[in-house]
Amino acid sequence: MLRNEILKVSLVVSFILSSQLVNAQSPDSASSSFSTGLTILVIIFLFAVIITIANRLMKLTAEKVGADKVGASNTVIPTWKEFFGGDTPTRSAEEGQFHVLRQGYDVPLVGDAEQRIDANLQATTFAMKPIDIHGMSPIPKLTVKEGASVKAGDVLFFDKKKPEIQYVAPVSGKLLAVNRGPKRRIDEVVISADKEMQYKAFTAPSLDASQEEIKNFLLESGGWSLLRQRPYNVAADPSETPRDIFISTFDTAPLAPDLSFAIQGREAAFQKGLDVLATLTSGHVYLGLDGRGETPISTAFSEATGVVKNYFKGKHPAGVVGVQIHHTAPIGKDDIVWTIDAQSVATIGTLFLEGKYDATKVVAVTGAELKEAKYVKTYQGASIESFVNNNTTNDHVRYVSGNVLTGTKIESKGFLGLYDSQVTVLAEGDYYEMFGWLVPVKARPSISNTFPHFLYPDKMTADTNTHGEKRAFVVTGQYEKVTPMDIYPQHLLKSILVNDFERMEGLGIYEVVEEDLALCEFVCTSKQDVQAILRQGIDMMIEQG
Amino acid sequence: MNGLLKFIKAIEPDKKNSPFLHTLFDGFFTFAFAPNAITKQGVHVKDGMDLKRTMVHVVIAMQLCYLFGTYNIGHQHFVALGEYPSFFAGFHLKLSHGLIKLLPLFIVSNVVGLGIEFWYAAKKGHAIEEGFLVSGALIPLIMPADLPLWILAFAVVFAVIIGKEAFGGTGMNIFNIALLARVFVFFAYPTEISGDGSVWVSALDKSAELGTFVSQYGWPHSLLDWLFNGIGLSTFGDGGKAVVDGFSGATPMGIAAKGGWEAVTEVYTTSQMLWGTIPGSIGETSKPLIVIGALFLVAVGIASWRIMLSMVIGLIFTGVLLNGWGATVFMEVPWYYHFYMGSFFFAMAFMATDPVTASSTNTGKWIYGFLIGAIGLIIRVLNPAYPEGWMLAILFMNAFAPTIDYYVVQANINKRLKRVSNAA
């Protein structure tokens, strides 16, 4: 950190010197004002030259000794986070690198889940929703008929385009219904759960087995269906070996569950899952850890072995895996990486430890419209009915599987999404507000300083009102404030809208999926559908191959 | 409130039968009531900020300029006549004269501009966009008080149709609308907006008999005189009063071009120039009040501080270079005095920071602002034909903003490509 000190001191000295020069001259004659100005400019210029040369030398040296590969910054000019990051703890390489993300926004909502698991609440129906898996054909091949009995881990359906990947039942019970949407699209495969869970018995290979063997086991046991592939957030392709695998162990989204709390009791399974994942990639398994230091981190995460750890400190979306990838090892054109959420790692771990598909999920039931916001222990795809029934303060609410930024609207009897471990209940905002744009009576979350934030409570309620109408892009620089990535979201969106593939590639469409840019949609003054536009672009890219 | 809402909803015109009325209704309705639209896809909650709120804060930021500008119209008029030389003397006369001059400008600019906006919205079947709220408030501030209203109307028509609607409406325009209106007057009717004499001081007429300027009033003044008489206040009189000896009505820049800074200080003191009790366009003279507006815009995060700061740096940079060159008297005006003259701050606070026409990348904003500062001063000092440079510099850089962005974005693309080739 010596170079920071040198730079700080020299900056201060040069400012003092230049101000002295200004004061020393009498300001009346033009020639003296010229010489003053010129001296300042010369000083700045020389300073810039020295810095540039030193910078270049340092980079060259770093390349020579190979230090540029380890990810440390090798420049004379400290990055902002180094310059202001006095609070950055220094850690050894094993403990993990520390990243401070300056951009972002924590939507200050009330309705955080109280940290206790309500054992009384149990869902009785569960569903797999093919629509959750992006890129899947709308009518997957069902392997069981309505009314049949299934065990947890029995195959329910598979995608005809990728028949190797089996999608299995999260619980045992009777196949209650196959709910179809328009054009016979399969929306939900609903299972009525047994009181006593029956697991299909698997025989897991040992981790010394060939990669092929482990892959095949994961494919048939349903563990594979939990993996997602970047770019584009599609189902992981079994024919690929990913460059790396990324896991975020904390969720910064509004009212998101505390994953360190959710993983309690499954620490061994989580570690086993990490070991399994490590056999699938040619690179590393990267673990993104909470660097904010506000809540305790589970030892399952902080003491995980065989992984590369990175700490991230910052507002949302610091906990989003796409942002973490960008700061660890960004995705390029031909790269393929996989991501998986922390609880699913434990599910994969259990497959190898106990030979059963244990889709246990600790789910946060959150939102301001709930009487009690708390955690429940259930299984993937649970019906939210028992969690929200008699638990809402009024009827005019929206149920969301997931968080308010990326979640899906569901009915009060709807089911959790495959990758979701949160339910949010918020008020519908279909009301007119007199001069609402000018004098907002009720507090509302906003990144804009035009609102009297000092009058607002620290956390507030929010409803689904759009607070304005859709307009053309007008304001600039707004998305950048909430996107901690070296990317130009607005230009990317515009290139999607005009179908400019080359530019979409260049501007980094490989690096982002909806959740990475969800905050852009939240803050957008013009109320543009950022996530829908981005998905449109991603779909076009997939179609183009 | 519910009753009112019901009543208003009941009188809503039919969209098919009378699209224009419906658009009009929709415009005013969404102005009075934030709509009840809810999120459909993507995020479920949205930021409370919308375009109306953005625009109205810019308008709020220029209110001090409106207050001062209105009064200064009257003040300059009476100073030219040698009456009420102290700032607050003849308060009611100066204020009412200012209003008589400003209100028609404001009304014409907004009626014409919004009229076109409404018509296009109805024709294209979309909601009325808020862009002209700001343009319509800016245009009167950058015009001379005596500008004939028909010229103003033409200028607004040109700016809104050619400058904005031709490109697709708010958010799509390449050039700043308000400046387009001004540049139209500047090139089509140059004598109305440049030069000395009665251009920058209102209600003066060249008198053939006296060979000088005399005051000239219209019916609103007579009406007010009748009123003022009734309550025993001083009145405008019948007009025809000659200006004081040595009146030139010139702006500081006009003087500096001929005689340098010394000549300027013979006519105006620095504090006059700073506080803005000098002739000029209506809203651009008072520097502290503009700076308050600019700081307000930066504080609420609407205008880009990057553009503002880099414009100041650009002006200083060029100013220093010109000082060093020193070939003419104007070049020798110390660089810091350029802040006192002309409309630099107004251009900085309200014109250059227009997000639609400025660079859209943060890096681009630094370059964009710097070049406006540099080019604007070059035009001001080096070009004898144009007394003030910011309008042309900003329009010029408006044209180049996409180019700047192109290279900034391309740098980002190249960086990404390089990363891939390194990894491969």
Side-chain angles (χ1 to χ4, degrees):
Chain A
M1 293 296 113
L2 183 66
R3 64 201 171 97
N4 284 355
E5 299 310 317
I6 294 172
L7 194 82
K8 276 180 190 167
V9 169
S10 48
L11 270 178
V12 170
V13 168
S14 63
F15 278 129
I16 293 172
L17 274 180
S18 47
S19 65
Q20 284 292 322
L21 281 170
V22 173
N23 289 338
Q25 311 277 348
S26 88
D28 285 334
S29 72
S31 63
S32 76
S33 71
F34 168 66
S35 57
T36 310
L38 203 64
T39 320
I40 297 172
L41 285 179
V42 166
I43 289 175
I44 294 173
F45 179 72
L46 283 179
F47 193 72
V49 168
I50 293 169
I51 293 283
T52 318
I53 293 174
N55 205 13
R56 192 72 213 142
L57 281 175
M58 198 156 165
K59 265 190 186 157
L60 284 175
T61 321
E63 273 165 31
K64 216 177 262 175
V65 301
D68 58 326
K69 294 285 184 290
V70 278
S73 91
N74 298 306
T75 56
V76 178
I77 308 155
T79 53
W80 284 109
K81 65 181 179 193
E82 287 177 316
F83 202 55
F84 291 109
D87 48 353
T88 311
T90 40
R91 282 163 201 269
S92 65
E94 298 89 68
E95 276 177 303
Q97 224 193 315
F98 203 93
H99 305 263
V100 180
L101 311 183
R102 295 281 155 197
Q103 298 91 345
Y105 179 64
D106 287 328
V107 185
L109 298 183
V110 292
D112 246 324
E114 194 189 327
Q115 224 171 65
R116 71 185 165 86
I117 289 175
D118 190 334
N120 294 327
L121 294 181
Q122 267 313 326
T124 51
T125 51
F126 294 81
M128 277 292 279
K129 296 189 272 189
I131 205 162
D132 288 337
I133 303 131
H134 196 83
M136 189 173 219
S137 44
I139 312 177
K141 177 78 183 158
L142 286 172
T143 54
V144 280
K145 291 215 158 57
E146 269 178 61
S149 289
V150 289
K151 289 179 180 170
D154 273 341
V155 179
L156 288 180
F157 57 83
F158 58 85
D159 186 357
K160 278 167 260 182
K161 286 186 288 187
K162 284 181 187 166
E164 317 89 277
I165 311 172
Q166 310 291 337
Y167 296 88
V168 303
V171 293
S172 68
K174 213 171 75 160
L175 195 71
L176 203 60
V178 177
N179 295 331
R180 289 178 186 266
K183 291 188 185 167
R184 294 187 43 80
R185 182 186 79 198
I186 295 178
D187 282 349
E188 293 161 347
V189 179
V190 187
I191 300 168
S192 162
D194 288 338
K195 283 246 154 34
E196 199 64 36
M197 193 67 68
Q198 306 274 319
Y199 292 100
K200 181 180 177 183
F202 293 104
T203 329
S206 87
L207 293 187
D208 305 326
S210 71
Q211 198 187 56
E212 204 57 35
E213 214 172 318
I214 295 174
K215 261 188 184 177
N216 285 338
F217 174 69
L218 280 173
L219 284 166
E220 67 169 292
S221 65
W224 195 274
S225 64
L226 304 169
L227 286 167
R228 280 189 285 182
Q229 177 170 311
R230 298 245 185 168
Y232 314 140
N233 234 17
V234 292
D237 186 346
S239 63
E240 298 280 355
T241 303
R243 192 198 69 196
D244 298 301
I245 296 176
F246 290 87
I247 303 150
S248 173
T249 64
F250 67 114
D251 195 341
T252 46
L255 307 177
D258 179 356
L259 295 182
S260 286
F261 173 72
I263 206 73
Q264 264 176 29
R266 303 175 82 195
E267 287 87 352
F270 182 79
Q271 180 58 49
K272 188 72 180 175
L274 293 180
D275 296 339
V276 174
L277 293 174
T279 64
L280 297 178
T281 167
S282 55
H284 299 286
V285 174
Y286 287 99
L287 215 54
L289 284 101
D290 189 353
R292 295 171 300 176
E294 282 155 19
T295 49
I297 305 174
S298 162
T299 52
F301 305 147
S302 59
E303 286 166 21
T305 55
V307 294
V308 181
K309 283 173 226 157
N310 282 286
Y311 284 81
F312 295 90
K313 180 184 177 179
K315 295 174 173 164
H316 187 63
V320 172
V321 71
V323 172
Q324 299 179 354
I325 297 172
H326 181 85
H327 286 274
T328 321
I331 307 167
K333 188 171 189 283
D334 302 316
D335 292 341
I336 281 178
V337 303
W338 290 347
T339 66
I340 182 170
D341 67 284
Q343 296 201 60
S344 300
V345 175
T347 301
I348 289 183
T350 316
L351 266 174
F352 282 78
L353 282 179
E354 300 171 32
K356 64 179 188 182
Y357 186 79
D358 175 18
T360 299
K361 241 182 200 183
V362 173
V363 172
V365 184
T366 63
E369 305 305 308
L370 286 174
K371 287 180 198 151
E372 274 187 356
K374 58 203 163 187
Y375 288 83
V376 292
K377 191 167 190 169
T378 180
Y379 300 92
Q380 129 203 337
S383 161
I384 64 162
E385 188 181 0
S386 60
F387 311 149
V388 297
N389 214 358
N390 296 325
N391 194 11
T392 52
T393 51
N394 66 75
D395 283 343
H396 200 53
V397 294
R398 177 183 294 193
Y399 303 96
V400 175
S401 165
N403 62 63
V404 292
L405 295 178
T406 59
T408 323
K409 180 181 172 179
I410 54 175
E411 301 301 314
S412 64
K413 292 177 179 174
F415 301 93
L416 271 179
L418 174 57
Y419 308 109
D420 295 332
S421 47
Q422 181 184 6
V423 181
T424 312
V425 184
L426 74 164
E428 286 285 10
D430 53 343
Y431 53 85
Y432 291 97
E433 192 181 3
M434 199 175 203
F435 295 112
W437 56 279
L438 186 62
V439 268
V441 179
K442 227 178 82 190
R444 60 202 55 182
S446 171
I447 65 160
S448 167
N449 288 334
T450 60
F451 290 93
H453 290 294
F454 59 95
L455 292 175
Y456 287 175
D458 286 345
K459 296 199 164 190
M460 45 194 106
T461 58
D463 52 50
T464 61
N465 193 291
T466 56
H467 300 299
E469 296 170 295
K470 195 168 171 178
R471 292 287 183 265
F473 289 108
V474 168
V475 178
T476 60
Q478 191 176 31
Y479 295 168
E480 283 84 347
K481 277 186 201 160
V482 293
T483 313
M485 301 168 95
D486 182 20
I487 202 169
Y488 288 103
Q490 199 173 25
H491 294 87
L492 176 61
L493 296 177
K494 284 184 175 175
S495 69
I496 292 171
L497 290 173
V498 298
N499 299 347
D500 186 341
F501 290 100
E502 216 170 291
R503 226 167 152 71
M504 273 148 69
E505 282 184 21
L507 286 167
I509 195 162
Y510 301 118
E511 297 192 47
V512 287
V513 299
E514 292 98 316
E515 59 176 357
D516 304 329
L517 298 186
L519 265 178
C520 296
E521 184 170 336
F522 168 80
V523 301
C524 187
T525 297
S526 297
K527 310 292 174 193
Q528 290 280 347
D529 298 319
V530 174
Q531 297 183 78
I533 298 173
L534 181 62
R535 182 39 76 183
Q536 183 193 332
I538 287 175
D539 285 344
M540 281 194 292
M541 292 302 291
I542 293 175
E543 222 171 274
Q544 293 284 311
Chain B
M1 190 183 119
N2 274 334
L4 179 65
L5 192 65
K6 257 186 208 149
F7 170 72
I8 295 176
K9 272 280 164 197
I11 60 163
E12 178 168 354
D14 186 63
K15 193 169 182 175
K16 273 229 173 79
N17 294 334
S18 43
F20 184 78
L21 279 181
H22 183 269
T23 308
L24 203 65
F25 171 85
D26 187 62
F28 285 108
F29 180 72
T30 54
F31 186 84
F33 292 95
N36 66 344
I38 53 173
T39 51
K40 292 258 157 49
Q41 51 180 1
V43 298
H44 298 273
V45 293
K46 289 207 174 199
D47 194 299
M49 194 69 181
D50 74 344
L51 205 53
K52 281 193 178 65
R53 196 173 170 82
T54 309
M55 296 295 184
V56 87
H57 276 85
V58 184
V59 177
I60 289 171
M62 58 181 105
Q63 287 316 300
L64 286 175
C65 301
Y66 259 104
L67 278 179
F68 181 85
T70 312
Y71 190 78
N72 194 41
I73 296 172
H75 182 61
Q76 290 311 315
H77 172 76
F78 284 107
V79 167
L81 297 177
E83 291 176 336
Y84 311 113
S86 122
F87 188 66
F88 288 106
F91 184 83
H92 64 288
L93 290 179
K94 289 176 181 174
L95 186 64
S96 49
H97 179 71
L99 285 173
I100 289 170
K101 286 289 160 191
L102 182 85
L103 280 179
L105 288 174
F106 185 83
I107 292 167
V108 166
S109 135
N110 277 285
V111 165
V112 173
L114 288 176
I116 299 171
E117 193 97 341
F118 287 6
W119 188 72
Y120 265 97
K123 207 175 143 222
K124 296 200 283 187
H126 63 66
I128 292 164
E129 290 164 334
E130 293 80 5
F132 199 78
L133 270 181
V134 171
S135 306
L138 278 174
I139 288 171
L141 289 182
I142 53 175
M143 297 293 179
D146 253 358
L147 188 75
L149 296 177
W150 63 272
I151 294 183
L152 178 72
F154 268 125
V156 171
V157 168
F158 171 81
V160 174
I161 294 185
I162 307 291
K164 180 154 76 169
E165 299 303 343
F167 290 100
T170 300
M172 316 282 187
N173 48 305
I174 297 176
F175 296 105
N176 186 305
I177 305 304
L179 285 181
L180 268 189
R182 193 175 198 273
V183 88
F184 178 84
V185 180
F186 190 81
F187 285 115
Y189 305 95
T191 52
E192 300 291 345
I193 201 165
S194 54
D196 298 347
S198 66
V199 173
W200 302 109
V201 181
S202 63
L204 294 182
D205 196 22
K206 193 94 179 175
S207 157
E209 305 151 32
L210 296 172
T212 178
F213 291 105
V214 295
S215 60
Q216 186 206 29
Y217 299 121
W219 62 266
H221 295 89
S222 319
L223 192 70
L224 283 170
D225 267 358
W226 173 75
L227 197 73
F228 290 149
N229 243 334
I231 48 177
L233 290 170
S234 50
T235 58
F236 287 107
D238 294 331
K241 190 175 184 312
V243 295
V244 290
D245 284 344
F247 165 78
S248 79
T251 58
M253 267 110 40
I255 305 170
K258 290 176 193 133
W261 185 250
E262 281 74 30
V264 177
T265 47
E266 278 165 23
V267 185
Y268 304 112
T269 65
T270 45
S271 89
Q272 267 182 326
M273 283 185 271
L274 179 71
W275 290 101
T277 54
I278 52 169
S281 294
I282 296 169
E284 46 100 23
T285 54
S286 178
K287 277 74 189 175
L289 300 185
I290 296 167
V291 170
I292 289 172
L295 290 178
F296 171 76
L297 285 179
V298 169
V300 298
I302 286 176
S304 164
W305 58 270
R306 292 181 176 88
I307 294 177
M308 296 197 191
L309 185 62
S310 59
M311 254 180 91
V312 172
I313 296 172
L315 183 140
I316 295 174
F317 178 82
T318 321
V320 169
L321 286 188
L322 290 173
N323 282 171
W325 188 356
T328 65
V329 280
F330 205 171
M331 283 192 204
E332 279 171 359
V333 173
W335 54 270
Y336 36 83
Y337 284 134
H338 278 289
F339 289 110
Y340 289 88
M341 299 187 288
S343 53
F344 173 78
F345 284 111
F346 194 82
M348 176 194 81
F350 298 113
M351 296 301 179
T353 52
D354 172 9
V356 176
T357 54
S359 271
S360 60
T361 54
N362 285 342
T363 318
K365 280 172 185 160
W366 285 105
I367 302 169
Y368 172 83
F370 181 86
L371 287 177
I372 291 176
I375 294 172
L377 194 67
I378 289 173
I379 298 173
R380 176 193 275 189
V381 176
L382 297 186
N383 193 323
Y386 305 135
E388 179 61 309
W390 309 112
M391 169 181 74
L392 295 167
I394 292 174
L395 287 172
F396 187 67
M397 288 313 297
N398 279 171
F400 276 99
T403 315
I404 297 173
D405 282 337
Y406 175 82
Y407 283 106
V408 172
V409 170
Q410 201 57 43
N412 182 273
I413 292 175
N414 290 343
K415 202 158 127 196
R416 194 164 277 115
L417 287 179
K418 209 174 149 196
R419 200 170 65 209
V420 175
S421 58
N422 277 350

